[in-house]
């Protein structure tokens, strides 16, 4: 590292600062007075936090918002200058001992617009690039743009893409969306149905980290049918339950690491296991919503069909090589978003749950899901299917409770 720093300082010292319209100039001025002050303030904070400062003694013009090339070394991951975007000629440097440590350092930020990887080994570059959470990764180059390739960020560096097919998709939507109804389509209620009474007083638990979990607060919520008859209870989730669920979802790495084909096989198995219990799930839906048993069976069948559909889609989103004009190879690699928070609709307790959760996990995401508030028992029954279908623990985490309260925390 010291050898590299010496070479870097030597190169920085030779940078020429001045009018950017002059072709012999390497670096121009800062965009505004306010930005110059922001840079100066962040550099001051870096020094106060104990980081080592190297600043070139280049001739900096007096008439303008210029700032000398600056290097920080001996920087900790929690330092302000390592976490904030400086937007100036300031390089914040940290050393690493392994490739995995380098990736961890790169991802230890809430931003992720673009990154550069410099290496003599193309195999290392291709291994590391997908692991770095940034919208664009340049290998042995930087700031290369082409209108035929999508550009955009991760996390707080924005969402969506500009350029290429990815940018075009931002302006289109499926034609079938025209056929959607503005309001939920509800099945007729059956007043003559008797409430289903459990022979055992059972409170359905939540599902966190692949295990059935009691609510942290120890409280439960009564679940009633459409006409107010009590049919069961579920745990009342709170902030700590959500925290545990998010921690579990973030810790599950094997699901996103599986190929699309492998995820599809698990989802096919999931659909098969649900089909074996069609009658049981239909009875549960009918008990919660007071719809006919036939319409409840139709909902289960549609849920099974939907799992099959998304299982078939799971391995269809493959990468592609863009035909960029410049002399380079541009690879587009679809990636999972990561951890997704999902709040299911109150209507269609099973189909609504399946329709929201399955496409998310089919693409390799892990989820924290709050099921239907009025009819959550279909979701709490469904985690028994998850447990027996080879879905890795932590992929789907179910927290029952009030939508408004849990939604605010999520």
């Amino acid at each position: 590292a010291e050898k590299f720093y010496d070479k870097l300082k030597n190169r920085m010292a030779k940078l020429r600062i001045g009018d950017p319209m002059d072709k012999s100039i390497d670096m121009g001025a800062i965009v505004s007075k306010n930005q110059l002050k922001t840079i100066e303030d962040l550099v001051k904070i870096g020094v106060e936090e104990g980081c080592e400062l190297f600043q070139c003694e280049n001739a900096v013009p007096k008439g303008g918002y210029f700032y000398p090339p600056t290097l920080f070394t001996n920087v900790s991951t929690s330092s302000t200058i390592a976490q904030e975007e400086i937007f100036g000629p300031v390089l914040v440097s940290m050393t690493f001992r392994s490739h995995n440590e380098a990736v961890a350092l790169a991802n230890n930020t809430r931003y992720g617009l673009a990154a550069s990887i410099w290496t003599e080994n193309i195999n290392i570059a291709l291994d590391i690039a997908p692991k770095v959470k940034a919208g664009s990764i340049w290998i042995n180059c930087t700031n290369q743009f082409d209108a035929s390739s999508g550009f955009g960020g991760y996390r707080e560096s924005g969402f969506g893409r500009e350029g290429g097919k990815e940018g075009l998709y931002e302006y289109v939507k499926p034609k079938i969306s025209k056929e959607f109804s503005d309001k939920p389509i509800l099945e007729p209620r059956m007043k003559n149905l008797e409430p289903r009474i459990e022979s055992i007083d059972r409170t359905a638990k939540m599902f966190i980290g692949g295990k059935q979990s009691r609510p942290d607060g120890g409280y439960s919520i009564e679940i009633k049918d459409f006409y107010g008859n009590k049919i069961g209870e579920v745990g009342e989730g709170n902030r700590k339950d959500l925290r545990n669920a998010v921690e579990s979802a973030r810790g599950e790495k094997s699901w996103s690491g599986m190929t699309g084909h492998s995820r599809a096989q698990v989802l096919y198995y999931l659909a098969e296991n649900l089909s074996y219990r069609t009658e049981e799930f239909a009875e549960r839906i009918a008990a919660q919503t007071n719809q006919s048993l036939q319409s409840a069976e139709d909902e289960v069948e549609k849920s099974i069909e939907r799992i099959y559909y998304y299982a078939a889609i799971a391995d269809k989103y493959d990468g592609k090589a863009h035909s960029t004009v410049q002399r380079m190879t541009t690879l587009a690699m679809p990636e999972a978003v990561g951890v997704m928070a999902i709040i299911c609709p109150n209507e269609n307790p099973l189909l609504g749950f399946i329709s929201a959760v399955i496409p998310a996990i089919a693409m390799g995401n892990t989820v924290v899901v709050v099921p239907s508030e009025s009819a959550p028992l279909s979701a709490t029954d469904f985690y028994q299917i998850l447990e027996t279908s080879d879905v890795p623990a932590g992929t789907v985490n179910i927290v029952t409770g009030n939508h408004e309260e849990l939604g605010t925390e999520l």
Side-chain angles (χ1 to χ4, degrees), residues 295-310:
S295 65
E297 289 178 352
D298 290 343
E299 179 174 336
V300 179
E301 290 298 331
K302 289 177 182 177
S303 299
I304 296 169
E305 291 176 7
R306 197 147 296 180
I307 297 174
Y308 274 121
Y309 173 79
Y310 287 116

Side-chain angles (χ1 to χ4, degrees), residues 255-256 258 260 263 267 310-317 334-338 340 357-366:
W255 182 250
S256 61
M258 294 170 65
R263 290 197 298 271
L267 294 179
Y310 287 116
I313 291 293
D315 61 352
K316 303 301 185 292
Y317 282 85
E335 295 180 341
V337 174
M340 296 181 64
V357 171
I358 299 302
I361 66 174
M363 293 294 100
N365 300 290
T366 56

Side-chain angles (χ1 to χ4, degrees), residues 343-354:
I343 297 181
C344 297
N346 284 325
E347 302 80 19
N348 301 109
L350 180 61
L351 186 59
F353 178 88
I354 295 297

Side-chain angles (χ1 to χ4, degrees), residues 165-234:
K165 288 184 178 180
E166 297 86 355
L168 179 62
Y169 292 151
E170 301 292 330
Y171 297 92
V172 299
K173 59 183 179 181
K175 290 182 179 180
I176 195 173
S177 61
K178 296 180 181 179
E179 302 177 15
F180 293 162
S181 171
D182 293 333
K183 297 181 180 179
I185 300 174
L186 302 176
E187 296 291 338
R189 310 292 180 179
M190 307 292 290
K191 290 186 177 181
N192 58 342
L193 286 179
E194 294 183 3
R196 175 180 172 179
I197 301 175
E198 297 280 357
S199 58
I200 299 176
D201 186 8
R202 182 175 69 93
T203 299
K205 300 179 179 63
M206 294 177 287
F207 189 63
I208 298 175
K211 300 178 181 179
Q212 299 183 33
S213 174
R214 290 183 173 82
D216 172 71
Y219 296 102
S220 61
I221 303 172
E222 284 190 356
I223 303 303
K224 299 179 180 180
D225 66 11
F226 186 76
Y227 297 105
N229 301 305
K230 179 182 175 181
I231 54 175
E233 295 185 23
V234 295

